[in-house]
């Protein structure tokens, strides 16, 4: 049911683990199924220079976390805020309809991390 | 491709070669319609009757008490709706449990919309139905008690003989979904005071799309499918003769081999359970410790999610299943795991391994070798595990 791309990111998730002293942290829970995603970013001169994640969730949740960390690296905060769950799902060659809500989790975690960063500075 | 380790035998089983053989014979040598008069059609009828007799013998019933259906789901539907239709003048109350298969639960829910009152009995933490509550909720309008013999997810075996006694005392029809128990533990309709039981062929190494409802002589029941006069007027439609022949052979073999296979599977399952308990921290085993199907192992592995574990196991050549919310279309966790009182986040990490005829000692060793590593990998990036470890320090 998952695309090859999803499976590839699931099997070899990029940027996994906790980040030491992140500049922004976003933690969101999925109200639909109860999963949790944590996203950490490092910001330098308004650009996201590093991103990492930790996820307790399904294959799609893990793959979208991995993909979103890849997508944000090198982007300015404003550019990163434009990344929607659709962008993430498309980058993974699509998600099954009942798994689209997992990509919303990725979008929300990213927004929360940026918000957290902006609150701090 | 690497070896496939199939540990999802509660979902379905492979068809045995002995069964394929009789089915092939039916497909080629006796394709006639059993309702016809000429001898070629009668051959098909004979094959069907022989199968019916075999199945009846295996559960201590007589052959005119077997109604072939398209499987377990239809048998459950026939029992629930068939009794409801034929007995609604007596009353519109049905008692079932919270852990039944959806074939029973959703049939009951449909009846609720038609004005029936349904009591869904609670179960304890092992999944055993509350007998005291059963006795308490019986009333003069109660027309049916439907309690499964063994649960497909956690393997818990219900006290069917005791429920049978209660049903008999109150003169209420008693149906049991024995789809998971036949061929794994003993089922005797007389000893257990059963009026109806559902059986599905594909759970006992027979073909899919065939099963039966045992209906005790004298039971007031109406059909749910109308048409021809097949199956004692209880199930219209030209019979699935190859399926019926295969089902009969599979049932005969499974029931005859029950004791031997039960011992073998219990040993393997216990080996698996002990091995996992030793190798994985924070694992909870579900279902009754002893009153449980021999090959069923259901556990909840904390801090990880079941669907992702199933995907990892799939990469390792292992087929298993989970009751996690993420793996279901409705995104609800398994109703069985909720009914035994598991918190949502623990049900999230549920894993069911169901062993079968093909499972070997080597398979168990392999699972014990690779499963703990897969769990480690997923826990390595679980925010819940991280928090748990920090709290511990
Ligand atoms: C307990 C139980 N009842 C009923 C069924 C449905 O049987 P079938 O697949 O033959 O419709 C199943 C299998 O999924 C089951 O495990
Ligand atoms: S996160 Fe639960 S379904 Fe994907």
């Amino acid at each position: 049911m998952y695309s090859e791309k999803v499976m590839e990111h699931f099997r070899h998730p990029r940027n996994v683990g906790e980040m030491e002293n992140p500049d922004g942290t976003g933690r969101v829970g999925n109200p639909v199924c109860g999963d949790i995603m944590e996203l950490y970013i490092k910001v330098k001169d308004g650009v996201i220079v590093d991103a990492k994640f930790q996820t307790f969730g399904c294959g799609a949740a893990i793959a979208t976390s991995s993909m979103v960390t890849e997508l944000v690296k090198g982007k300015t905060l404003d550019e990163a805020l434009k990344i929607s769950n659709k962008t993430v799902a498309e980058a993974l060659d699509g998600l099954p309809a009942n798994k689209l809500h997992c990509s919303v989790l990725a979008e929300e975690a990213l927004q929360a991390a940026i918000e957290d960063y902006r609150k701090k500075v | 491709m690497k070896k496939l380790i199939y540990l999802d035998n509660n979902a379905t089983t492979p068809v045995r070669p002995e069964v394929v053989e009789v089915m092939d014979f039916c497909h080629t040598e006796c394709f006639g319609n059993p309702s016809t008069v000429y001898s070629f059609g009668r051959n098909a009828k004979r094959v069907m009757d022989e199968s019916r007799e075999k199945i009846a013998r295996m559960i201590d019933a007589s052959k005119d008490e077997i109604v072939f259906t398209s499987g377990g789901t239809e048998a459950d539907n026939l029992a629930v709706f068939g009794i409801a239709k034929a007995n609604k003048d007596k009353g519109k109350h049905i008692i079932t449990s919270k852990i039944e298969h959806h074939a029973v639960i959703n049939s009951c829910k449909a009846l609720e919309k038609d004005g029936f009152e349904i009591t869904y009995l609670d179960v304890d933490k092992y999944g055993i139905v509350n007998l005291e509550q059963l006795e308490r909720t019986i009333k003069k309008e109660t027309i049916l008690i439907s309690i499964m013999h063994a649960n497909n997810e956690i393997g818990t075996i219900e006290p069917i003989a005791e429920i049978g006694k209660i049903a008999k005392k109150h003169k209420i029809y008693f149906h049991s979904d024995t789809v998971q128990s036949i061929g794994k533990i003993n089922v005797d309709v007389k000893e257990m005071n059963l009026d109806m039981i559902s059986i599905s062929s594909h759970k006992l190494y027979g073909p899919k799309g065939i099963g039966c409802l045992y209906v005790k002589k004298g039971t007031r029941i109406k059909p749910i499918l109308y048409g021809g006069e097949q199956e004692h007027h209880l199930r219209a439609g030209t019979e699935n003769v190859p399926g019926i022949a295969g089902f009969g052979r599979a049932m005969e073999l499974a029931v005859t081999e029950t004791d031997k296979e039960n011992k073998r599977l219990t040993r393997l399952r216990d080996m698996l359970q002990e091995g996992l308990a030793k190798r994985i921290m924070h694992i909870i085993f579900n279902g009754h410790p002893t009153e449980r199907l021999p090959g069923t192992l259901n556990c909840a592995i904390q801090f990880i999610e079941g669907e992702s574990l199933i995907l990892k196991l799939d990469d390792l050549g292992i087929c298993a299943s989970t009751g996690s919310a993420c793996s279901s279309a409705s995104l609800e966790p398994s109703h069985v795991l909720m009914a035994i009182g598991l918190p949502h986040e623990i049900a999230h990490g549920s894993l069911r391994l169901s062993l079968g005829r093909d499972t070997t000692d080597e398979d168990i060793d392999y699972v014990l070798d690779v499963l703990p590593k897969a769990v480690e990998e997923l826990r390595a990036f679980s925010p819940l595990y991280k928090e748990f470890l920090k709290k511990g320090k």
Side-chain angles (χ1 to χ4, degrees):
Chain A
M1 64 165 187
Y2 287 134
S3 69
E4 259 317 301
K5 198 90 169 259
V6 171
M7 285 311 294
E8 206 268 314
H9 274 264
F10 168 73
R11 288 186 185 114
H12 311 285
R14 332 285 201 259
N15 314 309
V16 282
E18 215 182 344
M19 187 184 277
E20 299 232 342
N21 309 315
D23 296 324
T25 303
R27 179 191 170 102
V28 290
N30 191 330
V32 186
C33 57
D35 294 326
I36 296 165
M37 192 182 286
E38 252 179 51
L39 195 90
Y40 321 96
I41 51 169
K42 269 230 178 340
V43 184
K44 207 170 175 187
D45 305 328
V47 174
I48 298 176
V49 289
D50 197 11
K52 284 189 128 185
F53 80 92
Q54 291 207 305
T55 292
F56 164 69
C58 73
I62 292 168
T64 51
S65 314
S66 165
M67 181 51 94
V68 84
T69 55
E70 284 283 272
L71 290 174
V72 295
K73 278 203 235 174
K75 293 228 166 39
T76 65
L77 294 176
D78 285 337
E79 283 167 351
L81 278 173
K82 287 201 196 97
I83 295 174
S84 69
N85 77 306
K86 248 193 162 151
T87 325
V88 184
E90 273 163 20
L92 286 166
D93 293 342
L95 284 169
N98 66 333
K99 291 287 181 179
L100 281 171
H101 69 97
C102 319
S103 60
V104 176
L105 203 58
E107 177 189 317
E108 288 174 354
L110 172 62
Q111 284 168 356
I114 295 175
E115 205 173 296
D116 180 51
Y117 166 76
R118 286 192 164 155
K119 243 188 279 165
K120 281 187 193 160
V121 290
Chain B
M1 213 185 105
K2 58 180 160 322
K3 194 185 165 209
L4 180 79
I5 301 197
Y6 184 75
L7 294 178
D8 206 13
N9 287 277
N10 284 14
T12 194
T13 56
V15 182
R16 297 175 71 143
E18 302 95 317
V19 171
V20 173
E21 199 179 306
V22 300
M23 290 183 73
D24 280 351
F25 173 78
C26 282
H27 278 124
T28 53
E29 306 296 323
C30 57
F31 62 82
N33 188 322
S35 299
T36 53
V37 177
Y38 43 82
S39 59
F40 184 60
R42 285 207 310 272
N43 286 344
K45 176 102 172 49
R46 194 173 322 116
V47 167
M48 208 170 74
D49 286 345
E50 277 169 18
S51 180
R52 196 189 301 280
E53 233 175 282
K54 266 183 212 161
I55 291 166
R57 209 179 322 123
M58 294 297 128
I59 54 169
D60 199 16
S62 72
K63 68 178 192 318
D64 42 349
E65 295 175 314
I66 302 297
V67 180
F68 287 117
T69 65
S70 64
T73 298
E74 190 192 327
D76 285 343
N77 272 260
L78 177 56
V80 174
F81 288 107
I83 290 293
K85 270 202 225 178
N87 299 276
K88 61 175 187 283
D89 53 335
K90 183 194 162 202
K92 293 178 113 182
H93 179 231
I94 292 175
I95 302 175
T96 183
S97 85
K98 289 191 174 151
I99 63 164
E100 296 303 306
H101 190 267
H102 281 124
V104 168
I105 292 203
N106 288 343
S107 294
C108 287
K109 281 193 182 154
L111 281 177
E112 267 177 319
K113 295 217 169 77
D114 279 342
F116 279 78
E117 185 201 340
I118 315 285
T119 301
Y120 300 92
L121 294 178
D122 296 323
V123 296
D124 66 14
K125 65 176 178 180
Y126 299 124
I128 302 272
V129 292
N130 187 328
L131 292 187
E132 190 265 323
Q133 189 191 12
L134 168 65
E135 290 247 40
R136 194 156 30 84
T137 46
I138 290 176
K139 47 186 176 184
K140 69 176 194 306
E141 292 83 15
T142 312
I143 52 170
L144 174 68
I145 297 171
S146 177
I147 305 287
M148 71 198 325
H149 191 188
N151 183 270
N152 43 309
E153 289 188 39
I154 55 177
T156 295
I157 301 168
E158 302 297 338
I160 290 302
E162 278 176 67
I163 300 170
K165 273 188 208 131
I166 296 171
K168 191 175 179 184
K169 186 171 80 188
H170 295 273
K171 296 196 175 61
I172 298 167
Y173 286 131
F174 179 30
H175 164 252
S176 183
D177 178 333
T178 57
V179 166
Q180 290 292 343
S181 57
I182 298 266
K184 298 183 186 127
I185 53 176
N186 292 322
V187 177
D188 186 310
V189 294
K190 293 214 176 78
E191 233 169 63
M192 295 170 162
N193 281 312
L194 285 154
D195 297 303
M196 285 159 287
I197 67 173
S198 305
I199 309 176
S200 175
S201 150
H202 74 95
K203 309 278 187 186
L204 41 84
Y205 309 93
K208 293 173 180 54
I210 185 77
C212 73
L213 183 70
Y214 152 78
V215 183
K216 188 177 163 184
K217 236 175 269 158
T219 303
R220 270 175 57 160
I221 185 167
K222 283 193 170 164
I224 55 173
L225 219 59
Y226 293 86
E229 298 173 349
Q230 295 91 347
E231 300 301 301
H232 335 294
H233 292 90
L234 260 178
R235 206 282 187 174
T238 298
E239 301 88 341
N240 171 1
V241 179
I244 288 170
F247 173 25
R249 184 76 180 117
M251 174 101 170
E252 183 179 40
L253 290 166
V255 174
T256 318
E257 293 168 4
T258 293
D259 290 344
K260 197 175 102 220
E261 190 61 4
N262 186 314
K263 280 202 193 78
R264 198 185 75 84
L265 287 178
T266 303
R267 186 184 71 83
L268 288 176
R269 195 264 323 270
D270 290 348
M271 200 168 111
L272 180 59
Q273 179 160 338
E274 281 158 28
L276 291 178
K278 242 186 257 159
R279 289 169 177 80
I280 301 174
M281 299 260 280
H282 316 295
I283 181 171
I284 296 160
F285 293 97
N286 301 313
H288 198 282
T290 53
E291 291 303 303
R292 183 157 49 123
L293 288 176
T296 303
L297 189 138
N298 188 305
C299 58
I301 301 173
Q302 283 183 263
F303 318 118
I304 61 169
E305 189 281 323
E307 191 218 71
S308 56
L309 182 60
I310 299 299
L311 291 173
K312 274 211 172 286
L313 292 178
D314 187 26
D315 278 347
L316 295 161
I318 300 169
C319 305
S321 71
T322 173
S324 157
C326 295
S327 70
S328 77
S330 64
L331 295 169
E332 301 269 345
S334 136
H335 67 289
V336 176
L337 300 181
M338 292 295 101
I340 61 170
L342 282 197
H344 198 303
E345 72 274 13
I346 296 204
H348 231 56
S350 83
L351 173 70
R352 180 187 72 183
L353 301 164
S354 47
L355 287 53
R357 275 173 49 78
D358 296 335
T359 314
T360 62
D361 282 69
E362 291 72 44
D363 293 347
I364 302 298
D365 288 341
Y366 175 70
V367 173
L368 287 176
D369 187 29
V370 300
L371 177 58
K373 285 181 209 148
V375 170
E376 272 314 298
E377 284 172 27
L378 289 171
R379 279 182 176 168
F381 54 81
S382 160
L384 292 184
Y385 192 51
K386 173 193 74 179
E387 273 158 25
F388 172 79
L389 291 179
K390 278 189 182 153
K391 236 190 286 162
K393 270 176 204 159

